[in-house]
Amino acid sequence: MKKVSILICAYNSGKYIFNTISSVLNQTYSNLELLILDNNSKDETIKNIESFNDERIKLFKSNKNYWPYWWLNYLLEKSCWDYVAILDHDDLWANNKLELQVDFLEKNNEFIWCWTKTVMYYESDSKYFEY
């Protein structure tokens, strides 16, 4: 079974991070690790991350706020798994997302990455958009 490393750069995501992490840990594909970098948050982000008792979660803490993609490169260097997925700190995944993506990539060796359908919710307008 291929291994998947999920990378999250979190900053002041206390309102969302618990649900984001839950959507990863509830995947039907369970051979994963979750690498989270806290980008010097000033809210409850770290507390919410540390509330999980799951050995697949690895938390890294920064005492300085950097550009998120700098930290994603840092997390990528910490990863040594077969596949990498990037997840924003306020996003949610369907429970079978990783299973479908790993299955697709394993059956279609000519592809090195894949994308999924996205449903966006805009709080200010209370509207959903599908991409």
Side-chain angles (χ1 to χ4, degrees):
M1 180 181 254
K2 296 288 182 171
K3 300 173 186 173
V4 180
S5 183
I6 298 121
L7 314 180
I8 298 176
C9 182
Y11 176 69
N12 288 344
S13 60
K15 180 177 177 182
Y16 305 103
I17 196 71
F18 186 89
N19 290 332
T20 299
I21 293 170
S22 294
S23 78
V24 171
L25 299 180
N26 290 325
Q27 289 293 302
T28 55
Y29 194 89
S30 60
N31 196 18
L32 59 88
E33 71 172 350
L34 179 55
L35 304 178
I36 306 172
L37 184 287
D38 178 73
N39 199 3
N40 198 30
S41 294
K42 304 300 182 201
D43 66 357
E44 300 292 314
T45 300
I46 291 177
K47 178 182 174 188
N48 290 335
I49 296 167
E50 290 177 340
S51 71
F52 288 90
N53 185 21
D54 193 304
E55 69 224 15
R56 297 175 293 174
I57 298 174
K58 295 177 179 72
L59 174 60
F60 302 88
K61 300 173 188 175
S62 172
N63 59 6
K64 185 173 181 185
N65 187 282
Y66 288 104
W67 189 49
Y69 292 103
W70 190 92
W71 284 121
L72 287 175
N73 285 326
Y74 171 86
L75 291 174
L76 188 58
E77 290 176 8
K78 300 290 182 189
S79 170
C80 60
W81 292 51
D82 300 304
Y83 294 115
V84 173
I86 297 172
L87 177 60
D88 288 340
H89 66 213
D90 60 350
D91 288 353
L92 304 173
W93 281 350
N95 288 349
N96 63 343
K97 176 206 184 305
L98 287 179
E99 181 179 358
L100 292 172
Q101 286 186 296
V102 170
D103 183 61
F104 173 83
L105 290 169
E106 288 298 298
K107 291 178 179 174
N108 298 280
N109 291 332
E110 68 273 22
F111 293 98
I112 60 170
W113 65 276
C114 61
W115 190 265
T116 61
K117 178 174 33 175
T118 302
V119 177
M120 302 285 286
Y121 176 71
Y122 293 95
E123 289 179 277
S124 61
D125 298 330
S126 297
K127 292 181 183 178
Y128 289 94
F129 297 92
E130 189 173 294
Y131 297 96

